[in-house]
Amino acid sequence: MSATAELNMVEAITKGLGQLLEEDPDAILLGEDIGRNGGVFRATAGLQERFGEDRVVDTPLSEAGFVGAAIGMCLVGLHPVVEIQFDAFVYPAFEQLVSQAGRFRWRTRGAYGLPLVVRLPYGGGTRAPELHSDSPETLFSHMPGLRVVVPSDPLSAGELLLAATRCGDPVVFLEPKRMYRRGRQLLPAKFVPGDLDHAVVVRPGEDLTVIAYGAMVDVAEGAAERLQEEGVSTRVLDLRSIYPLDRESILAAAEETGRVLVVHEAARHCGVAAEVAALLQEEAADVLLAPTLRVTGMDMPFPLSQNEDDALPTVERVLAAAHTMLEY
Amino acid sequence: MLTELSSFSRELALQLFTAMARLRAFDERAVILQHQGRIGTYPTFYGEEAVQAASVWALPRQDWLFPTYRQSAVVTLRGCPPLVPLLMWRGHPGGWHDVMEYRVAPICVPVATNLPHAVGAAWGAKLRHQELVALAYGGDGSTSAGDFHEACNLAGLVGAPVIFLITNNQWAISTPVSKQTKIRRVADKAAAYGIPGVRVDAFDVFACYQAVREAAARARAGEGPTLIEAIGYRLGPHATADEPSLYRDLQADRLWEPMEPLRRTQMALVAAGLASEAELDQIRADSVEELRDIGDSVDAYPPVTIEEIAATVHRETPWGLRPDRLREPSWGARGGAVG
Ligand SMILES: Cc1ncc(C[n+]2csc(CCOP(=O)(O)OP(=O)(O)O)c2C)c(N)n1
Ligand SMILES: [Mg+2]
């Protein structure tokens, strides 16, 4: 899989992990069922065969244990990339991430960071059972010391994953699993580590900006397409980094389009959109032509599959909010 | 061979068999409904009917059960219509059964999270001088999780009348038990908590029944918790979305197939002269017949709106979950929703 090829997101992640294991002898993968089974999403398919059982390690069913162990591994020079099987199964490891991993650099007075990446397939839209569709990014971006990164397509998945493994601080890397097999992209023979610090304008526009990340970039683009038909030029800004936020790109969107709408799947209360709206309120209120609206998940457990479409932001919901803003 | 049947009355033996047959019928039907796309991913319990049926039958109805995703149908043995757990796998909120009515807790998906609940129920009942036992289910994989350790430790310490029924089916998705823990006998983990650990054949409904009865008797006598390791083998895939050929030797799997418990129990009952082949075939057929139209019932079940669901999250629904604010509120919402 080294030559240029059209890959979907999950294949791009496999490719990125393979490249990492090849280039970095200290890299090690940990997780449940990631070896022979190749992970429940096949994100590590074939990697144990290629790199051996000491580098692609099946762990027991103990998220707190293996995320904690990954912290210890960092101390002796390893670069662990941990797979959490599904969104909600990161909760047992929450303690290790927020009270340990995120505080390590601070506890060494800035001297040492942990080269730890925790991969987290997340989000709804896959008709999965309870607790297989959560969007927990806000939890990690609220707690100090962690970077929170979300790719939106195959290329960003590969590039940001490699960047995450080298950034020197612990990263919670959320993979929008509903995009795993949605669409292919021509990818380079080797990924160049991406830019963790900057959001990307995936569609230029002048009248309105829709800020999104993960699977919601697709929804934002769908809405932008429809708005185009109405003669509204819509910028789509893919955040990619949830913590820290790319303040400049957000403020530029306010300055250049005057209207900023934020979309995410996670619950609204204290979500990323609230943070963006607060930033705009504090630093760009004078240039805004309309208040910022949020199109988000609901403040409730993610519904069982029959009702998941009711809770997920859709093109229609984004359009409705956009119209409200345009008519303000 | 199965346990000596002489201590079992014909009535009890038939009840256990019937319970197993009903679980089997449910499981087979659920797999079909999944293949037809009428329910979502479904974790089959094919091969675990003996231990599950025994666990329900060995306890009086006032005792509490704490299932995982693997025991989604045990509630039907307490009188809940099979439609209810099927709705759960369909992703319909009608799948949440009445917890108090059946004294069966909601199924817990995150592995081992149900175990401490059972400890608390048992311990709490003890504190309130209620004669009550709680039984929690788990798998071999669950015994690696922190919650397992904490539950066993706490239960041992406070002498909670709880039973940890761990079905060691030797697999946690693709992870064999040999890669789960260094200990050879899961039951030996009990020693760490100062509680008894016993082993039983998960395919032997009578042995499982006796093991749970004994553990419950100890619990009721004030002797505290028991860890039961029911040793079996996962005869099916982890769930309908799983592909065992990727990680296990299907040839070796076939060696376990003769352990399939329903047929084995049937043979044992006939051999012991407790029932005739025809009579048992009839019970199986009736169990299947009972579910004949269940797929239609699943399809026809009226949908619930998101507004209705939102009203079930809190006792008093916060403003953000009320119908007019559930989707996009806006500045105009002070005077009425916009957009
Ligand atoms: C905390 C947690 N991590 C991961 C999972 C994903 N998962 C679902 S079932 C399972 C294996 C459980 O194995 P075991 O405890 O032996 O029970 P079995 O499925 O064999 O009945 C895993 C890893 C989960 N449900 N919960
Ligand atoms: Mg198991």
Side-chain angles (χ1 to χ4, degrees):
Chain A
M1 237 199 265
S2 55
T4 312
E6 286 229 335
L7 301 181
N8 63 27
M9 184 185 282
V10 77
E11 291 162 349
I13 288 165
T14 313
K15 177 184 159 92
L17 292 170
Q19 183 179 333
L20 173 72
L21 289 165
E22 232 164 58
E23 293 174 355
D24 178 358
D26 297 321
I28 177 171
L29 311 188
L30 304 169
E32 292 159 7
D33 306 292
I34 68 168
R36 225 169 131 183
N37 193 41
V40 295
F41 293 105
R42 313 278 172 254
T44 53
L47 295 180
Q48 190 178 65
E49 253 168 30
R50 262 171 79 196
F51 298 98
E53 292 191 20
D54 287 343
R55 301 195 67 203
V56 181
V57 184
D58 279 319
T59 60
L61 209 166
S62 53
E63 287 82 1
F66 61 77
V67 171
I71 292 173
M73 286 180 167
C74 292
L75 302 188
V76 297
L78 288 172
H79 302 156
V81 178
V82 179
E83 174 175 302
I84 299 289
Q85 202 160 72
F86 281 91
D87 357 15
F89 307 143
V90 73
Y91 300 142
F94 192 64
E95 155 102 83
Q96 289 293 341
L97 284 168
V98 306
S99 74
Q100 303 303 324
R103 290 168 174 253
F104 199 85
R105 186 179 288 284
W106 176 73
R107 286 177 182 157
T108 60
R109 306 189 70 188
Y112 303 104
L114 298 175
L116 167 66
V117 176
V118 174
R119 295 182 37 242
L120 195 60
Y122 88 105
T126 62
R127 301 277 181 263
E130 196 208 357
L131 290 162
H132 290 68
S133 301
D134 277 21
S135 293
E137 65 271 22
T138 315
L139 305 181
F140 300 106
S141 54
H142 187 70
M143 301 307 276
L146 302 169
R147 267 184 176 267
V148 182
V149 175
V150 191
S152 56
D153 59 13
L155 183 64
S156 61
E159 291 183 341
L160 295 175
L161 180 59
L162 282 173
T165 63
R166 314 172 181 205
C167 82
D169 278 318
V171 177
V172 178
F173 190 82
L174 294 112
E175 301 170 0
K177 59 173 133 45
R178 115 148 107 137
M179 304 305 288
Y180 268 169
R181 294 186 165 76
R182 171 103 47 97
R184 295 177 171 274
Q185 249 176 330
L186 193 63
L187 300 182
K190 266 190 189 307
F191 288 119
V192 178
D195 178 357
L196 292 182
D197 297 319
H198 292 103
V200 172
V201 175
V202 291
R203 180 187 176 107
E206 284 153 20
D207 302 326
L208 167 80
T209 299
V210 180
I211 293 185
Y213 53 92
M216 292 301 109
V217 173
D218 206 40
V219 173
E221 290 190 274
E225 201 66 46
R226 294 266 295 274
L227 287 165
Q228 188 62 52
E229 292 162 16
E230 300 170 14
V232 178
S233 157
T234 306
R235 174 181 304 186
V236 176
L237 185 67
D238 176 3
L239 279 181
R240 299 192 175 194
S241 177
I242 300 306
Y243 195 88
L245 284 175
D246 177 1
R247 174 174 162 274
E248 279 68 35
S249 294
I250 295 169
L251 295 180
E255 190 117 0
E256 290 158 24
T257 69
R259 300 175 187 89
V260 181
L261 187 165
V262 193
V263 186
H264 59 67
E265 249 180 271
R268 180 180 301 135
H269 192 82
C270 291
V272 173
E275 189 57 39
V276 171
L279 175 67
L280 294 171
Q281 178 70 21
E282 288 165 349
E283 304 197 24
D286 55 333
V287 297
L288 289 182
L289 301 173
T292 286
L293 284 192
R294 299 175 282 168
V295 178
T296 67
M298 297 166 180
D299 295 343
M300 57 192 281
F302 190 81
L304 300 178
S305 58
Q306 290 292 298
N307 289 90
E308 70 178 331
D309 293 342
D310 297 328
L312 286 168
T314 55
V315 167
E316 280 64 36
R317 283 174 60 191
V318 176
L319 278 179
H323 287 150
T324 310
M325 291 177 68
L326 290 160
E327 287 154 20
Y328 178 72
Chain B
M1 259 338 284
L2 293 184
T3 304
E4 183 53 53
L5 279 179
S6 53
S7 60
F8 285 82
S9 68
R10 172 181 142 85
E11 191 194 0
L12 177 57
L14 282 182
Q15 281 171 355
L16 287 168
F17 181 82
T18 306
M20 287 175 67
R22 292 181 55 213
L23 287 176
R24 170 64 53 81
F26 177 96
D27 192 63
E28 286 182 345
R29 180 53 65 97
V31 170
I32 292 169
L33 292 176
Q34 194 281 331
H35 289 325
Q36 294 171 338
R38 296 159 89 178
I39 64 171
T41 302
Y42 169 72
T44 157
F45 49 80
Y46 173 66
E48 297 187 14
E49 299 86 351
V51 56
Q52 293 189 14
S55 67
V56 180
W57 237 255
L59 298 175
R61 210 178 173 283
Q62 92 248 12
D63 288 346
W64 273 88
L65 304 175
F66 291 80
T68 77
Y69 52 90
R70 188 74 70 207
Q71 295 83 26
S72 64
V74 295
V75 71
T76 65
L77 300 182
R78 286 248 170 118
C80 176
L83 175 62
V84 173
L86 286 174
L87 287 172
M88 167 57 65
W89 299 119
R90 176 148 166 120
H92 189 296
W96 296 115
H97 62 258
D98 186 329
V99 167
M100 292 298 162
E101 161 90 15
Y102 305 112
R103 296 215 175 189
V104 178
I107 63 165
C108 281
V109 168
V111 167
T113 49
N114 58 325
L115 302 174
H117 306 163
V119 175
W123 182 20
K126 182 179 159 174
L127 292 174
R128 304 190 68 192
H129 307 290
Q130 293 172 353
E131 223 218 67
L132 213 156
V133 168
L135 179 145
Y137 300 91
D140 40 299
S142 78
T143 72
S144 301
D147 280 2
F148 168 83
H149 167 76
E150 298 188 27
C152 290
N153 188 62
L154 181 58
L157 186 70
V158 302
V162 64
I163 301 168
F164 302 110
L165 179 55
I166 303 299
T167 301
N168 178 358
N169 61 13
Q170 306 189 41
W171 293 91
I173 308 188
S174 76
T175 307
V177 67
S178 61
K179 286 195 176 174
Q180 195 65 244
T181 175
K182 191 73 181 166
I183 214 157
R184 291 283 301 278
R185 300 154 160 264
V186 169
D188 288 351
K189 293 197 180 193
Y193 314 109
I195 68 177
V198 300
R199 302 183 102 197
V200 64
D201 177 358
F203 295 123
D204 183 339
V205 68
F206 306 108
C208 290
Y209 178 85
Q210 274 167 345
V212 176
R213 288 286 283 203
E214 278 159 28
R218 289 190 60 256
R220 273 184 245 282
E223 291 167 39
T226 304
L227 172 63
I228 301 176
E229 176 190 7
I231 309 154
Y233 192 85
R234 204 188 70 211
L235 296 180
H238 169 69
T240 46
D242 178 42
E243 186 43 71
S245 66
L246 285 176
Y247 57 79
R248 65 184 204 186
D249 178 358
L250 300 185
Q251 211 62 24
D253 281 1
R254 248 164 246 141
L255 298 177
W256 286 93
E257 192 50 42
M259 301 300 280
E260 183 282 290
L262 187 59
R263 179 75 204 136
R264 239 170 128 238
T265 307
Q266 179 159 354
M267 282 164 23
L269 288 180
V270 173
L274 286 173
S276 73
E277 192 80 42
E279 183 179 10
L280 299 176
D281 281 345
Q282 189 58 48
I283 290 173
R284 293 181 70 156
D286 290 346
S287 306
V288 173
E289 178 61 21
E290 200 191 330
L291 300 178
R292 200 187 51 182
D293 301 324
I294 197 93
D296 296 337
S297 308
V298 168
D299 292 341
Y301 204 77
V304 177
T305 65
I306 195 74
E307 287 78 9
E308 289 171 292
I309 298 170
T312 65
V313 184
H314 298 267
R315 188 162 68 119
E316 295 207 19
T317 301
W319 58 264
L321 282 173
R322 296 200 193 125
D324 59 329
R325 302 299 299 254
L326 202 49
R327 293 192 176 80
E328 280 58 71
S330 69
W331 59 89
R334 253 182 307 160
V338 173

